[in-house]
Amino acid sequence: MDTTKFEVQVERMIHLSKVNPLLPETYIPWDDEPDSDTLFMPEKLVSLEGHKLWDTLSKSQQIELGRLEVVQVMYSYAWSETLACYFFNRHLLTLNPDSLEYRFLIREITEEFRHQEMFGMAIRKLGRKPILPTRLHRFFGEFTVKWLPSSMVFMSVLSVELMADIYAKHIRKDEKVFSVLRKSSELHHIEEGRHIFYTEAWLKKFTTNAGFLKATAYSMVVMLNIYFMRTLYVQKDFFERIKVGDPDCYYQEALKNYNIKFVEHALGPTVEFVRGFNGFNWLTKPLWIWLLNVKP
């Protein structure tokens, strides 16, 4: 990497963050209201879409399932960004306050806290309550940001950012989706683009010419983080709320259906990132196939 060029780019991103902040309060049309046909999630991202059970739902049930699942997705991102900020603050203690890394992370933390507030405002606007993480989710999330080495945590953060950015692209491009969600996704996509650029570049010093053991470890971290986030998205409670006849059956089928769709619609950039540091090998490939249905 050209260090001088990278530093110039990061200085530019810091400057943009300061002089042209994207404030959720003014960027998003919070006064807009959905009508009866408005979607809250592109249908291709809804867990049950494409399965034969999807056609057994009424249109209002399909829309409501999308509303419940997008609320869950937004909450999951807000929670993961809270964990990331916990780590960033821990990492700042090791840096010179005048360093480029310190100054960029201060801007990223500022933006991530605004994202958390934005997701909370959107959830309130949609009027649905998310399912909170389990104790096991909380344990692994907190363990990661408290105790893992910085390179591993940055890898964890990037894996979620890449996935969230793909979701944002799908939502903001679908004109059928509620305007509040499209503009929220647009804002998130713009600022996450800066964070992804920086994190990928920062990680190059660890992933460039990584040996077998290091590449394997990084691949496992990304894989487990993706699995960790995916398990938050589809919930049995949603099918109880939309009043289907057999919620457990619908949930199990939706889960299997979503696990297939998830690879197609959410994991492309993540797979390319892992491939870039030779993270797919005889040890990791079977695990990616088994846990995430990814075929490298």
Side-chain angles (χ1 to χ4, degrees):
M1 182 199 305
D2 184 329
T3 302
T4 301
K5 184 177 179 181
F6 170 70
E7 291 179 353
V8 169
Q9 180 69 3
V10 175
E11 291 286 8
R12 178 175 174 273
M13 293 191 297
I14 293 171
H15 178 73
L16 282 173
S17 179
K18 290 181 177 181
V19 303
N20 190 29
L22 301 179
L23 303 178
E25 298 90 334
T26 55
Y27 193 84
I28 298 165
W30 296 108
D31 291 334
D32 286 3
E33 296 293 342
D35 60 33
S36 60
D37 296 321
T38 301
L39 300 181
F40 300 95
M41 179 97 90
E43 287 190 335
K44 65 184 177 183
L45 296 181
V46 180
S47 63
L48 200 60
E49 187 274 337
H51 191 282
K52 61 184 179 181
L53 287 178
W54 178 252
D55 294 328
T56 69
L57 302 180
S58 67
K59 187 63 177 178
S60 62
Q61 284 177 310
Q62 292 174 352
I63 291 173
E64 181 62 14
L65 181 60
R67 183 198 292 246
L68 293 168
E69 290 188 352
V70 81
V71 163
Q72 190 67 21
V73 166
M74 288 189 295
Y75 171 75
S76 301
Y77 293 160
W79 182 64
S80 69
E81 290 184 349
T82 302
L83 289 173
C85 288
Y86 188 110
F87 161 70
F88 291 149
N89 277 284
R90 167 194 139 192
H91 188 60
L92 285 175
L93 294 173
T94 69
L95 303 175
N96 182 335
D98 192 44
S99 68
L100 185 69
E101 183 176 1
Y102 187 101
R103 290 184 293 111
F104 181 82
L105 287 180
I106 287 291
R107 301 314 306 171
E108 181 167 354
I109 290 170
T110 300
E111 292 171 351
E112 296 290 22
F113 274 120
R114 286 203 299 255
H115 296 170
Q116 293 165 49
E117 183 178 33
M118 174 184 73
F119 288 132
M121 292 167 70
I123 289 170
R124 290 196 300 276
K125 180 73 175 178
L126 296 187
R128 301 294 185 271
K129 291 188 179 298
I131 307 297
L132 302 186
T134 64
R135 270 188 282 185
L136 190 61
H137 281 105
R138 293 197 300 272
F139 169 79
F140 280 112
E142 292 172 15
F143 178 85
T144 297
V145 297
K146 285 181 179 179
W147 303 111
L148 289 188
S150 294
S151 61
M152 294 287 192
V153 186
F154 269 107
M155 192 72 70
S156 301
V157 170
L158 179 61
S159 62
V160 176
E161 285 179 337
L162 287 169
M163 184 174 60
D165 193 50
I166 287 293
Y167 258 73
K169 287 180 181 178
H170 287 308
I171 291 172
R172 71 186 176 85
K173 288 182 177 180
D174 192 332
E175 294 294 330
K176 297 177 184 177
V177 172
F178 186 31
S179 57
V180 166
L181 299 179
R182 284 191 285 111
K183 291 297 284 185
S184 297
S185 296
E186 183 176 274
L187 185 155
H188 195 244
H189 171 67
I190 293 169
E191 295 191 331
E192 285 300 303
R194 294 200 287 261
H195 305 167
I196 289 169
F197 171 84
Y198 180 85
T199 307
E200 283 186 315
W202 191 92
L203 283 169
K204 283 188 185 300
K205 58 187 173 183
F206 297 95
T207 58
T208 299
N209 299 320
F212 176 82
L213 291 179
K214 186 175 285 188
T216 297
Y218 289 150
S219 181
M220 296 282 284
V221 167
V222 174
M223 179 188 69
L224 291 172
N225 269 273
I226 295 297
Y227 177 77
F228 177 81
M229 289 297 293
R230 194 189 69 184
T231 57
L232 292 168
Y233 290 172
V234 183
Q235 301 285 338
K236 179 182 175 182
D237 181 75
F238 299 161
F239 296 95
E240 295 172 349
R241 292 193 214 177
I242 64 173
K243 302 186 187 311
V244 297
D246 187 345
D248 187 61
C249 173
Y250 274 79
Y251 165 67
Q252 294 298 335
E253 292 303 312
L255 196 59
K256 289 186 285 187
N257 192 57
Y258 184 71
N259 291 349
I260 296 170
K261 289 157 61 84
F262 184 74
V263 177
E264 178 184 357
H265 297 305
L267 287 190
T270 304
V271 170
E272 287 304 311
F273 172 66
V274 175
R275 189 175 288 127
F277 61 79
N278 298 315
F280 295 121
N281 55 47
W282 62 267
L283 179 59
T284 60
K285 279 183 180 179
L287 294 173
W288 277 81
I289 293 170
W290 172 64
L291 199 62
L292 292 178
N293 201 37
V294 169
K295 298 175 182 176

